Amino acid sequence: MASKLYAGTSGFAYPTWKPGFYPADVPAKRFLQHYATRLNSTEINYTYHRLPSPKSLGEWLESTPPEFVFSLKAHQKLTHILRLKNCETFVELFLKTIDPLRIAGRLGPVLFQLPPNLKCDPELLAAFVALLPADMRFAFEFRHASWLEQPVYDILGSRGVCLCLAESEKLVIPEVITAPFVYFRLRKGDYTPEERVEIATRVTALNEGGRDVYLYFKHEDSPEGALYAEELLRGLAFAP
């Protein structure tokens, strides 16, 4: 099976994207439906704050075509409250809650975004990733420099878990590939044409190397990220 690019933004429910991305006459309840006609994935932050209801999951599925996938940010209870400790029960609950997306074949990676003050603990990480099912995709975004070391990469690689390649003003994440897929979080508000060509070149090389790519631009108050994602999908012939 050919490798794929899934590109979009972190979130989609932004009235400030009118009229640059959403037409002026599109109501908020149809944002996702319109988004999915132009982009093929989104990163959902909602699941960081609360568990989605079956009704919400059903609406997401109904509003998008069969090839559209949802990457989800893991609930804050796992990353910021329990801080990866004693998580067995809540991991099971969280995965059970989002299972309708998996069953439908519409679930992208689950992203664990660790707090900036959580320092490296290889034993803790190894115990946590051991809880994660091997038939799903997971990524870790580390925000403390102590995690960026070979033992951590080895733990991720042993389970096929992805090191999230996230841009940050405070931390440079090395492009270390630890999984059969790659997860980019591109956080700048603007990218020059030259930078966008470079992004496309990196994605092409990864796809040609057999890896799916999930790539999400920053959302914020303007539609540029969505437009960049659309440009990338069209340029690499992955547009919906």
Side-chain angles (χ1 to χ4, degrees):
M1 184 183 300
S3 300
K4 296 182 179 180
L5 165 65
Y6 299 97
T9 56
S10 299
F12 59 85
Y14 305 107
T16 50
W17 288 7
K18 290 184 177 185
F21 184 78
Y22 293 128
D25 61 348
V26 172
K29 64 182 180 180
R30 287 180 49 210
F31 278 179
L32 179 57
Q33 182 180 6
H34 179 86
Y35 178 106
T37 66
R38 301 170 66 173
L39 304 172
N40 64 359
S41 186
T42 186
E43 180 189 82
I44 299 292
N45 190 62
Y46 178 94
T47 49
Y48 172 79
H49 297 285
R50 56 187 64 86
L51 296 174
S53 67
K55 181 176 183 290
S56 294
L57 295 175
E59 290 173 350
W60 295 351
L61 291 173
E62 292 171 6
S63 297
T64 55
E67 63 276 8
F68 189 94
V69 303
F70 297 87
S71 294
L72 308 180
K73 190 179 289 188
H75 198 283
Q76 62 182 329
K77 183 171 181 177
L78 296 171
T79 54
H80 288 63
I81 299 173
L82 297 175
R83 295 166 72 88
L84 306 186
K85 295 180 180 179
N86 303 315
C87 288
E88 295 89 341
T89 300
F90 199 81
V91 165
E92 183 178 354
L93 175 61
F94 180 76
L95 296 181
K96 182 179 180 180
T97 301
I98 65 174
D99 205 45
L101 295 180
R102 183 193 65 81
I103 292 171
R106 308 284 298 283
L107 181 62
V110 173
L111 174 69
F112 296 95
Q113 185 186 61
L114 301 191
N117 61 355
L118 182 58
K119 297 181 180 179
C120 182
D121 185 336
E123 292 183 4
L124 177 67
L125 179 66
F128 182 82
V129 299
L131 302 174
L132 305 177
D135 61 347
M136 294 176 64
R137 290 183 164 181
F138 300 95
F140 274 78
E141 181 180 349
F142 299 114
R143 295 192 287 170
H144 192 282
S146 62
W147 291 96
L148 304 177
E149 56 177 34
Q150 192 60 48
V152 171
Y153 308 147
D154 291 343
I155 291 167
L156 297 179
S158 70
R159 300 286 299 185
V161 175
C162 178
L163 171 68
C164 176
L165 304 181
E167 291 180 335
S168 167
E169 295 178 355
K170 299 180 179 179
L171 201 61
V172 176
I173 306 296
E175 194 159 314
V176 177
I177 309 301
T178 61
F181 65 97
V182 180
Y183 196 113
F184 286 96
R185 301 189 82 228
L186 303 183
R187 306 290 89 187
K188 290 168 57 177
D190 183 55
Y191 290 87
T192 66
E194 293 76 17
E195 288 173 325
R196 302 201 301 273
V197 168
E198 181 182 351
I199 291 167
T201 300
R202 292 165 73 192
V203 170
T204 299
L206 290 165
N207 281 161
E208 290 177 348
R211 287 181 167 84
D212 291 339
V213 174
Y214 300 84
L215 186 149
Y216 302 102
F217 286 96
K218 191 177 182 179
H219 52 285
E220 298 304 328
D221 298 323
S222 65
E224 275 73 22
L227 297 173
Y228 294 154
E230 182 178 38
E231 176 188 73
L232 183 62
L233 287 166
R234 289 187 180 281
L236 299 184
F238 285 104

